[in-house]
Amino acid sequence: MGSDTHLREVPVARTELLKGHFLHVVRDTVQLPSGREATREYVLHPGAVMVIGWLDDGRLVMERQYRHPLREVMVEFPAGKLDAGEGSLACARRELLEETGYSAREWAFAGRLAPTIAYSDEIIDIWFARGLSAGERQLDEGEFLDVFSATPDELQAWCRSGAIIDCKTLVGALWLQNVLSGAWTLDWSGTMPPAVAR
């Protein structure tokens, strides 16, 4: 792609704006490629995972969860943020079990997405899981969600109709569609490529 040095901004200083229980917001002063300075306000995020759980009958493990910022119940794939020092696969295993009660025999790392590049450094790792066995959910205090299963066709229809607008789930549907068509393949070793491993 060539050099991108003519596009890069150089951080000069940082001011902390908010350090809450979940959100950490900062304002960076940066030097632009032109030499002038500007500010960038954004959210620091520890990273997260999303799990596309594949049941033996081909159906997918999905959730319905109320999301306060939008004041709506959203249909999503199971997901959650990394705890301090936690690896991506360990987080995926934990989140799948805690939110849905399922454990998986096999795991495949698919890729990454950056859902809000204009105002957050969040990266979400996408994992596929199969060989699922049901167990007891271990929801966090104050966490309420419904777990259900859907066919890939139902998922695609909801994405097309706008019933699903969650960006990570839309990206997961894209991955699933390409895997099912044979256009994209998965490595079921349960490891991440060295280039992306945290």
Side-chain angles (χ1 to χ4, degrees):
M1 285 192 205
S3 172
D4 58 6
T5 54
H6 64 291
L7 301 173
R8 290 191 173 274
E9 301 172 353
V10 179
V12 175
R14 170 169 291 175
T15 303
E16 188 173 278
L17 302 180
L18 170 72
K19 182 98 183 242
H21 174 68
F22 176 63
L23 291 181
H24 187 185
V25 184
V26 296
R27 178 187 295 126
D28 283 357
T29 301
V30 299
Q31 183 178 34
L32 302 173
S34 65
R36 298 184 67 180
E37 288 190 352
T39 58
R40 303 287 185 245
E41 295 176 356
Y42 62 103
V43 176
L44 299 176
H45 194 282
V49 300
M50 176 182 69
V51 180
I52 301 171
W54 224 335
L55 295 165
D56 291 343
D57 65 2
R59 296 173 70 84
L60 306 161
V61 178
M62 307 291 300
E63 298 177 350
R64 295 178 68 248
Q65 185 173 10
Y66 180 76
R67 295 300 191 176
H68 179 74
L70 296 180
R71 310 296 199 273
E72 286 187 38
V73 173
M74 295 288 176
V75 174
E76 309 172 40
F77 283 120
K81 69 180 180 64
L82 292 163
D83 287 341
E86 185 177 36
S88 179
L89 179 56
C91 181
R93 291 181 190 276
R94 176 179 57 77
E95 287 292 344
L96 183 65
L97 178 64
E98 287 180 358
E99 294 188 356
T100 72
Y102 283 105
S103 298
R105 189 175 61 251
E106 293 183 279
W107 291 85
F109 175 75
R112 287 193 159 154
L113 70 119
T116 52
I117 58 175
Y119 59 88
S120 178
D121 66 352
E122 179 181 11
I123 299 286
I124 301 175
D125 290 338
I126 305 166
W127 289 92
F128 278 72
R130 67 183 181 189
L132 302 184
S133 56
E136 289 294 319
R137 293 195 300 169
Q138 302 166 15
L139 294 175
D140 293 334
E141 180 68 29
E143 189 174 30
F144 303 91
L145 54 88
D146 290 339
V147 178
F148 69 101
S149 63
T151 67
D153 287 344
E154 287 172 326
L155 174 65
Q156 293 298 329
W158 295 333
C159 292
R160 174 67 182 89
S161 71
I164 292 177
I165 62 170
D166 171 57
C167 96
K168 68 183 181 301
T169 302
L170 292 169
V171 172
L174 171 70
W175 261 95
L176 180 69
Q177 183 179 43
N178 280 284
V179 167
L180 290 173
S181 74
W184 296 354
T185 59
L186 294 170
D187 174 5
W188 287 96
S189 67
T191 60
M192 300 171 70
V196 297
R198 283 190 246 257

